[in-house]
Amino acid sequence: DVKVTQSSRYLVKRTGEKVFLECVQDMDHENMFWYRQDPGLGLRLIYFSYDVKMKEKGDIPEGYSVSREKKERFSLILESASTNQTSMYLCASSLAGQDYEQYFGPGTRLTVT
Amino acid sequence: GENVEQHPSTLSVQEGDSAVIKCTYSDSASNYFPWYKQELGKRPQLIIDIRSNVGEKKDQRIAVTLNKTAKHFSLHITETQPEDSAVYFCAASRRGGADGLTFGKGTHLIIQP
């Protein structure tokens, strides 16, 4: 059974703080993804990674960076949090190749005040 | 980049009736079209997907149809039940689950008893 976990379910941070969101998967998946989910906007891709130390920009990378030092862990970094980054953040992972689905983590609801 | 439009944003049907949710996409190179169901407070979960070499796929009460020429695909749920109440998202990608998904904005399906 695939398990994707995220470090926090709820997080409250102040404007200007550096924020780390962590995602861990236990199924040896090569691909990992970060999305943000906002009401009425669906899920939007921030960054993704096909392998350790590799990263690709998604549709809305501005204000974010990522780190993938180990295969099972993918971190999303908000260098200087702003109120417009208040959102639900969802991590996902999948096996390499086109035949496999993406599995999502439970999400982290981040509030920036 | 890809753009996915989803309609309607809210759909209310009587229990036992059918529900249809429609999506259109813009990138003719997209070849993978998953549907995710998200219950309140839970993570998105894949319920069915279709690839561009197939026109229709069924799984019990759920079916998905794809028209590549018109660039649209639809989710059909028959004999709806209370547990079908959720938000449904369509998505598209060029390389299956190995690529970042472009999501529609979601449809809130309400099953009326």
Side-chain angles (χ1 to χ4, degrees), chain B residues 5 10 13 15 22 28 30 33 38 55 64 79 82 86 111-112:
Chain B
E5 300 279 345
T10 304
V13 301
E15 183 178 348
K22 298 183 178 183
S28 56
S30 289
F33 307 94
Q38 187 176 32
V64 57
E79 300 171 15
I111 308 301
Q112 302 279 5

Side-chain angles (χ1 to χ4, degrees), chain A residues 37 50 94 98 102 104, chain B residues 36 38 43 51 95 97 99:
Chain A
Q37 181 176 17
Y50 294 127
S94 68
Q98 299 191 36
Q102 287 185 20
F104 281 85
Chain B
Y36 282 83
Q38 187 176 32
R43 71 190 75 194
R51 296 176 192 271
R95 296 194 310 117
D99 217 355

Side-chain angles (χ1 to χ4, degrees), chain A residues 10-56:
Chain A
Y10 300 95
L11 207 53
V12 179
K13 295 291 181 181
R14 294 207 181 270
T15 302
E17 279 193 83
K18 189 169 186 175
V19 182
F20 293 85
L21 303 182
E22 301 266 310
C23 175
V24 177
Q25 48 87 11
D26 67 356
M27 287 301 291
D28 205 33
H29 284 179
E30 287 80 10
N31 307 315
M32 295 188 76
F33 308 85
W34 276 107
Y35 297 89
R36 65 176 281 177
Q37 181 176 17
D38 301 288
L41 294 180
L43 285 76
R44 293 177 290 166
L45 181 67
I46 305 172
Y47 266 97
F48 57 107
S49 169
Y50 294 127
D51 202 350
V52 175
K53 297 200 186 292
M54 293 186 69
K55 60 184 178 183
E56 299 280 346

